[in-house]
Amino acid sequence: MSLIDKMKNVATKLETMGYVTVLPNEDDWSSIPTDKKNDYKKEVSMKYFKEIAKEDTSAVLVINEPKKGTKNYIGANTFAEIAIAFYFGKKIYLLNDFYNQLIDELAGWGAVPLYGVLSDINN
């Protein structure tokens, strides 16, 4: 969620291009009791898996900005969402280039790097 501001910015641009977007909720993780965090994480993950699986969802766009000193970073939860998108036959776009640690899977699953150019989305 460290990229929520970037997500909002990209969503606004996509909406002006005529796309419908879905963003994660901005949660205050510090307010969730420690013994409830795993349940909450499961609930949030299932919510987005269901969003991806919806018939009217045509694609996912991964905001893979540099993080933790790594270019084009994709974390575990985002990779799980990409796998769900692949399974349900959705298009997969990467805002930037491939994340090197996952390049075989991402390329094999047909992910399309946009190199920051949103107008290259082809639905």
Side-chain angles (χ1 to χ4, degrees), residues 103-123:
I103 194 168
D104 291 340
E105 290 79 11
L106 294 169
W109 294 349
V112 177
L114 298 174
Y115 307 102
V117 182
L118 292 176
S119 60
D120 285 350
I121 293 174
N122 183 14
N123 277 338

Side-chain angles (χ1 to χ4, degrees), residues 8-80:
K8 288 179 184 178
N9 183 285
V10 170
T12 299
K13 289 177 183 175
L14 288 171
E15 288 165 1
T16 64
M17 295 168 64
Y19 294 100
V20 176
T21 63
V22 176
L23 292 173
N25 294 334
E26 289 185 69
D27 297 316
D28 178 9
W29 282 89
S30 64
S31 69
I32 301 170
T34 302
D35 65 331
K36 301 291 182 193
K37 285 187 180 183
N38 285 341
D39 290 337
Y40 185 74
K41 181 71 171 178
K42 184 187 303 184
E43 178 184 322
V44 169
S45 293
M46 289 301 294
K47 176 183 174 188
Y48 286 99
F49 293 166
K50 288 176 184 177
E51 284 290 333
I52 293 165
K54 284 183 178 178
E55 189 173 321
D56 63 342
T57 298
S58 60
V60 296
L61 171 60
V62 176
I63 309 299
N64 61 326
E65 292 288 294
K67 186 174 179 183
K68 301 178 182 180
T70 304
K71 292 170 69 172
N72 309 311
Y73 180 79
I74 294 174
N77 195 62
T78 301
F79 187 65

